[in-house]
């Protein structure tokens, strides 16, 4: 007959089992605490990644909606401003009425552009809208100031161009335009690997290099130069692009010894050579098969 286990052996076995349970519990608790601390330590990475993911940004729908709600109202105002200020420069007696009317128009367009704000996932579009609003507000101020400033027909436009409100209105308007064309590159790079995500403008861009660029990159480069040179025109960047391409093809840039994009744009500006819808007129020869977002000013007749 087997001997029954002694009381000491029973106590030892119970203590051993209890120790195992305590050890296992401590281990599992330590793992959980460590995991929680590790999660807290790196939790900020979930909130602010090094490279934000804008998977749904710069969709064609965003670019098109922006055109109708922000770019087009401003474009309409810009055309009216340029036409009316030229009239004011010719008919000085009508100056006050013309600028009062332009101030009201700027305020109307400001309110129109302010109605829509839906570009949180596309920062460049959001920034462009903000700068468009700044430009319109400053144009309203510039017009109010011009309406009460004494000047004759020879000095109206000169006085306007020296006005700080006007200068900043132009600057913000051209910055907004540049940001809009930059957003088109963001869209384009999702559609075609030949389109870069962004374009860094060199201090001097040779026309020989310019010729090899996709159309959207050319437009972006033109928008950059228009901003840096305060080239405020009713013509859009693609109008300038198409006109330059036509001049290169016709050998006119060589005739006038124009070697860089910067000096070519400056030359054309002084000659007032580029006009609205030049791109549409020249599209079949220069840019007809290029990738472009479905925006009316690329396809209008």
């Amino acid at each position: 007959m087997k001997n029954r286990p002694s009381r000491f052996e029973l106590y030892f076995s119970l203590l051993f089992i209890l120790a195992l349970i305590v050890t296992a519990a401590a281990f599992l608790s330590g793992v959980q605490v460590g995991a929680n601390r590790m999660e807290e330590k790196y939790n900020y990475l979930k909130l602010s990644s090094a490279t934000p993911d804008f998977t749904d940004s710069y969709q064609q729908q965003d670019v098109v909606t922006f055109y109708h709600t922000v770019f087009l109202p401003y474009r309409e105002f810009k055309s009216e401003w340029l036409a009316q200020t030229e009239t004011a420069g010719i008919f000085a007696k009508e100056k006050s009425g013309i600028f009062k009317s332009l101030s009201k128009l700027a305020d109307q367009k400001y309110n129109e552009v302010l109605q829509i704000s839906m570009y949180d996932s596309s920062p460049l579009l959001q920034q462009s809208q903000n700068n468009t609003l700044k430009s319109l507000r400053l144009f309203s101020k510039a017009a109010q100031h011009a309406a009460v400033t004494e000047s004759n027909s020879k000095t109206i436009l000169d006085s306007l161009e020296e006005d700080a409100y006007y200068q900043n209105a132009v600057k913000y308007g051209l910055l907004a335009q540049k940001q809009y064309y930059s957003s088109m590159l963001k869209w384009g790079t999702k559609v075609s690997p030949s389109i870069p995500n962004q374009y860094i403008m060199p201090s001097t861009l040779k026309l020989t290099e310019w010729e090899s660029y996709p159309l959207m990159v050319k437009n972006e480069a033109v928008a950059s130069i228009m901003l840096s040179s305060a080239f405020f025109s009713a013509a859009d960047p693609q109008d300038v692009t198409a006109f330059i391409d036509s001049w290169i093809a016709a050998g006119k840039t060589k005739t006038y010894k124009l070697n860089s994009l910067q000096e070519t744009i400056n030359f054309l500006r002084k000659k007032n050579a580029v006009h609205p819808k030049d791109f549409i007129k020249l599209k079949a020869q220069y840019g007809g098969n290029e990738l472009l977002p479905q925006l009316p000013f690329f396809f209008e007749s």
Side-chain angles (χ1 to χ4, degrees):
M1 182 176 178
K2 294 184 179 180
N3 294 328
R4 296 175 63 184
S6 67
R7 182 176 296 179
F8 173 79
E9 290 174 331
L10 287 173
Y11 285 152
F12 179 84
S13 298
L14 289 172
L15 288 172
F16 179 76
I17 294 170
L18 181 61
L20 287 176
I21 293 172
V22 171
T23 301
F27 174 78
L28 293 174
S29 177
V31 169
Q32 183 61 42
V33 170
N36 290 340
R37 289 178 178 174
M38 185 66 72
E39 184 176 1
E40 290 173 2
K41 182 178 180 181
Y42 293 106
N43 191 49
Y44 76 95
L45 293 175
K46 299 177 182 178
L47 302 176
S48 179
S49 61
T51 53
D53 181 19
F54 293 126
T55 305
D56 296 326
S57 64
Y58 304 107
Q59 299 297 320
Q60 178 157 263
Q61 181 179 353
D62 296 333
V63 178
V64 173
T65 300
F66 186 92
Y67 175 89
H68 289 288
T69 60
V70 179
F71 187 84
L72 185 58
Y74 186 81
R75 189 185 188 212
E76 292 169 348
F77 168 79
K78 180 173 62 173
S79 297
E80 189 67 16
W81 175 277
L82 291 169
Q84 291 299 321
T85 52
E86 185 176 347
T87 300
I90 298 173
F91 303 103
K93 292 181 180 180
E94 300 177 15
K95 175 183 74 87
S96 179
I98 288 173
F99 281 110
K100 286 180 180 179
S101 176
L102 286 172
S103 179
K104 290 181 180 179
L105 180 61
D107 291 338
Q108 291 171 6
K109 294 299 183 181
Y110 178 93
N111 291 328
E112 186 176 341
V113 172
L114 190 61
Q115 294 301 312
I116 299 294
S117 182
M118 51 183 292
Y119 309 107
D120 291 345
S121 64
S122 302
L124 282 171
L125 293 179
Q126 189 176 62
Q127 293 164 20
S128 182
Q129 181 180 22
N130 290 337
N131 286 320
T132 297
L133 290 169
K134 290 178 185 178
S135 179
L136 289 168
R137 183 64 79 199
L138 288 166
F139 268 120
S140 178
K141 295 287 187 183
Q144 291 172 20
H145 187 247
V148 298
T149 300
E150 292 294 332
S151 55
N152 56 47
S153 60
K154 293 182 179 179
T155 62
I156 288 175
L157 297 183
D158 291 336
S159 298
L160 184 62
E161 291 184 358
E162 293 173 359
D163 184 89
Y165 286 127
Y166 172 79
Q167 291 172 354
N168 284 293
V170 168
K171 179 185 74 174
Y172 283 116
L174 291 172
L175 177 58
Q177 176 177 263
K178 162 72 168 58
Q179 289 164 334
Y180 185 41
Y181 280 80
S182 295
S183 73
M184 293 183 205
L185 284 186
K186 299 287 188 184
W187 166 80
T189 195
K190 292 183 174 186
V191 179
S192 171
S194 66
I195 306 297
N197 184 53
Q198 62 179 350
Y199 175 72
I200 306 300
M201 186 70 193
S203 57
T204 301
L205 177 57
K206 296 295 184 182
L207 291 178
T208 50
E209 181 180 353
W210 150 273
E211 291 182 86
S212 65
Y213 287 172
L215 177 57
M216 281 198 290
V217 178
K218 289 180 177 180
N219 292 341
E220 160 79 354
V222 169
S224 295
I225 295 174
M226 293 179 78
L227 171 60
S228 63
S229 62
F231 183 11
F232 193 65
S233 170
D236 296 314
Q238 65 269 17
D239 297 317
V240 180
T241 294
F243 196 91
I244 292 174
D245 280 343
S246 70
W247 263 41
I248 293 173
K252 291 185 178 180
T253 51
K254 291 182 178 179
T255 300
Y256 291 101
K257 299 180 180 179
L258 302 171
N259 298 309
S260 72
L261 182 63
Q262 286 86 346
E263 63 181 345
T264 303
I265 290 178
N266 187 49
F267 181 87
L268 296 176
R269 178 185 183 181
K270 290 179 179 178
K271 298 292 184 182
N272 195 28
V274 184
H275 300 95
K277 296 191 177 183
D278 276 348
F279 173 76
I280 297 299
K281 296 174 185 176
L282 299 166
K283 182 181 175 182
Q285 297 93 334
Y286 311 101
N289 298 319
E290 294 265 8
L291 174 66
L292 291 169
Q294 295 295 312
L295 299 173
F297 65 0
F298 288 139
F299 300 97
E300 60 191 356
S301 57

